[in-house]
């Protein structure tokens, strides 16, 4: 459904271009919940922007492309980078990070829904008829239609987030991209938002791509996931397999740092810090923090490749064991 091929991107700065995504290759399948995890600054949000075709200055694509393939009247149709924005909302939608701040604070939600729905999707309806459909959809999501008469500043953070999700899914897009949808919300509200996203994915039978630095969130709801580190994919596979048997040292350390119910032993963080993207180290970018790094790791960058059916890893040690 969504294919990423040899994708590299950078940001233009006064000191030169800074490479943010480095030769990324993977596929997202139809009717799945795909997670993207990793520390802050690893490129998760940039990757999601490129998937949604938001290529605005200073972001630029150095190489590669994204291909979105969807069904239109029973026929498969593909849209590449530069054309994906032509099917925003219809086939692909985006819930941005800190989505509560994207709503216009001085405009009622009813007008914001109407402004986001293309004329061709209204099927020659009047505005009142469209709003009736929106109200019915809100009820299906266990939200009150009275939300349409509210201004965003009158709603709590959780309700604004739910309104944004309703806005992004009203036209039943084939794929929904959600960037940190539970940021700045308390634990109870976070769970409600995640359950809402899961119900919607089952109802619409579409694909949900969820970005979160909280790897525990991925364990709860994703079916497959990719682990990012310093602008590259370190590991990719079924979520259950990754948690049962993490292959990349970075993934192992992330999972070992998770708190566990009933386990009172102290948790250790990953030593060191991610490298600056302006001056990344030679070889494997995780090598300076990796307890298993060898001289080969410090000199040669590993290739991201399949080592088991459906499991992809960028690690010399894992690939040597698999060969």
């Amino acid at each position: 459904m969504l294919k990423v091929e040899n994708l590299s991107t950078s940001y233009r700065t006064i000191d030169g271009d800074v490479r943010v995504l480095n030769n990324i290759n993977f596929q997202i399948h139809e009717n799945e919940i795909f997670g993207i995890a990793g520390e802050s600054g690893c490129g998760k949000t940039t990757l999601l922007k490129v998937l949604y075709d938001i290529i605005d200055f200073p972001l630029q694509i150095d190489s590669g492309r994204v291909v979105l393939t969807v069904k239109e009247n029973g026929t498969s149709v593909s849209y590449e980078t530069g054309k994906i924005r032509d099917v925003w909302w219809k086939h692909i939608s985006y819930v941005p990070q800190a989505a509560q701040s994207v709503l216009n604070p001085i405009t009622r939600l009813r007008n914001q829904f109407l402004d986001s729905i293309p004329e061709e999707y209204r099927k020659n309806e009047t505005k009142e008829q469209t709003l009736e459909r929106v109200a019915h959809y809100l009820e299906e999501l266990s939200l009150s239609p009275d939300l349409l008469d509210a201004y965003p500043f009158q709603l709590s953070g959780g309700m604004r987030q739910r309104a944004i999700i309703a806005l992004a899914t009203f036209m039943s897009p084939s794929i929904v991209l959600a960037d940190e949808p539970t940021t700045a919300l308390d634990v109870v509200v976070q769970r409600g938002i995640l359950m809402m996203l899961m119900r919607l994915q089952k109802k619409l039978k579409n694909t949900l791509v969820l970005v979160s630095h909280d790897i525990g969130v991925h364990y709860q709801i994703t079916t497959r996931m990719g682990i990012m580190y310093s602008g590259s994919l370190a590991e990719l596979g079924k979520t259950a397999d990754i948690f049962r048997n993490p292959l990349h040292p970075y993934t192992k350390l992330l999972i070992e740092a998770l708190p566990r119910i009933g386990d009172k032993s102290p948790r250790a963080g990953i030593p060191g810090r991610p490298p600056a993207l302006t001056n990344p180290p030679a070889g494997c970018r995780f090598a300076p923090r990796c307890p298993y790094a060898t001289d080969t790791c410090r000199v040669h960058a590993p290739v991201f490749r399949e080592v088991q059916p459906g499991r992809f890893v960028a690690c010399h040690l894992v690939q040597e064991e698999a060969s």
Side-chain angles (χ1 to χ4, degrees):
M1 163 165 271
L2 199 60
K3 189 174 183 180
V4 181
E5 300 177 341
N6 305 315
L7 181 66
S8 295
T9 69
S10 60
Y11 284 103
R12 302 190 68 179
T13 74
I14 58 175
D15 296 320
D17 294 349
V18 177
R19 177 65 62 86
V20 178
L21 299 178
N22 188 38
N23 195 33
I24 291 182
N25 291 273
F26 70 100
Q27 293 186 44
I28 298 172
H29 304 147
E30 187 176 359
N31 192 21
E32 72 168 347
I33 302 179
F34 184 86
I36 302 174
E39 293 171 292
S40 296
C42 69
K44 302 186 300 297
T45 293
T46 298
L47 175 57
L48 216 62
K49 286 183 176 180
V50 176
L51 294 183
Y52 194 55
D53 210 8
I54 305 177
I55 317 297
D56 298 324
F57 181 86
L59 178 62
Q60 61 185 8
I61 292 182
D62 299 323
S63 62
R65 62 176 184 166
V66 175
V67 181
L68 171 66
T69 302
V70 294
K71 293 285 187 181
E72 291 185 359
N73 300 320
T75 303
S76 292
V77 180
S78 294
Y79 297 89
E80 296 188 11
T81 300
K83 294 294 183 181
I84 292 176
R85 60 178 56 213
D86 294 341
V87 291
W88 281 358
W89 304 94
K90 178 182 178 182
H91 288 308
I92 185 169
S93 63
Y94 181 49
V95 180
Q97 194 169 15
Q100 302 96 319
S101 63
V102 305
L103 294 170
N104 188 331
I106 58 173
T107 302
R108 295 184 191 274
L109 286 180
R110 61 169 56 241
N111 294 324
Q112 300 194 48
F113 267 89
L114 287 173
D115 290 343
S116 68
I117 301 171
E119 287 291 340
E120 61 268 21
Y121 189 79
R122 294 185 185 175
K123 306 172 184 177
N124 298 318
E125 295 174 328
T126 64
K127 290 183 178 180
E128 289 71 23
Q129 290 172 325
T130 300
L131 286 173
E132 284 182 11
R133 283 204 295 137
V134 173
H136 180 67
Y137 184 66
L138 292 176
E139 289 179 332
E140 289 180 353
L141 300 182
S142 301
L143 298 174
S144 172
D146 293 340
L147 282 176
L148 295 174
D149 293 320
Y151 291 96
F153 67 82
Q154 294 176 310
L155 305 177
S156 67
M159 290 306 296
R160 288 196 298 269
Q161 188 70 299
R162 288 178 172 88
I164 282 288
I165 292 170
L167 188 63
T169 58
F170 176 66
M171 289 188 287
S172 303
S174 303
I175 184 165
V176 177
L177 310 175
D179 189 5
E180 302 279 7
T182 58
T183 295
L185 301 175
D186 64 57
V187 175
V188 175
V189 177
Q190 283 184 20
R191 178 173 175 78
I193 296 296
L194 293 175
M195 294 303 103
M196 179 182 182
L197 287 169
M198 289 180 68
R199 289 196 305 271
L200 275 169
Q201 192 273 332
K202 290 180 180 178
K203 175 180 179 292
L204 300 175
K205 292 182 172 56
N206 63 2
T207 296
L208 171 64
V209 180
L210 176 69
V211 163
S212 178
H213 66 274
D214 186 346
I215 198 170
V217 167
H218 296 285
Y219 178 76
Q220 294 179 64
I221 75 169
T222 63
T223 50
R224 285 196 312 140
M225 64 184 298
I227 308 293
M228 289 190 69
Y229 185 79
S230 187
S232 300
L233 279 171
E235 184 166 353
L236 185 148
K238 292 182 179 179
T239 302
D241 293 340
I242 287 177
F243 275 87
R244 186 185 306 112
N245 180 31
L247 300 179
H248 196 284
Y250 177 58
T251 310
K252 291 179 182 178
L253 292 171
L254 281 178
I255 293 175
E256 288 173 359
L258 279 175
R260 290 170 173 78
I261 296 176
D263 186 350
K264 297 182 180 180
S265 59
R267 291 283 179 258
I270 302 176
R273 64 180 61 185
L277 294 176
T278 54
N279 185 30
C284 175
R285 294 188 177 186
F286 188 62
R289 306 172 70 189
C290 180
Y292 313 105
T294 65
D295 290 340
T296 299
C297 301
R298 298 183 182 93
V299 175
H300 302 288
V303 176
F304 184 72
R305 66 179 180 87
E306 192 172 24
V307 295
Q308 298 173 10
R311 294 292 298 275
F312 296 79
V313 179
C315 177
H316 291 300
L317 299 177
V318 175
Q319 292 170 359
E320 287 175 4
E321 292 176 359
S323 60

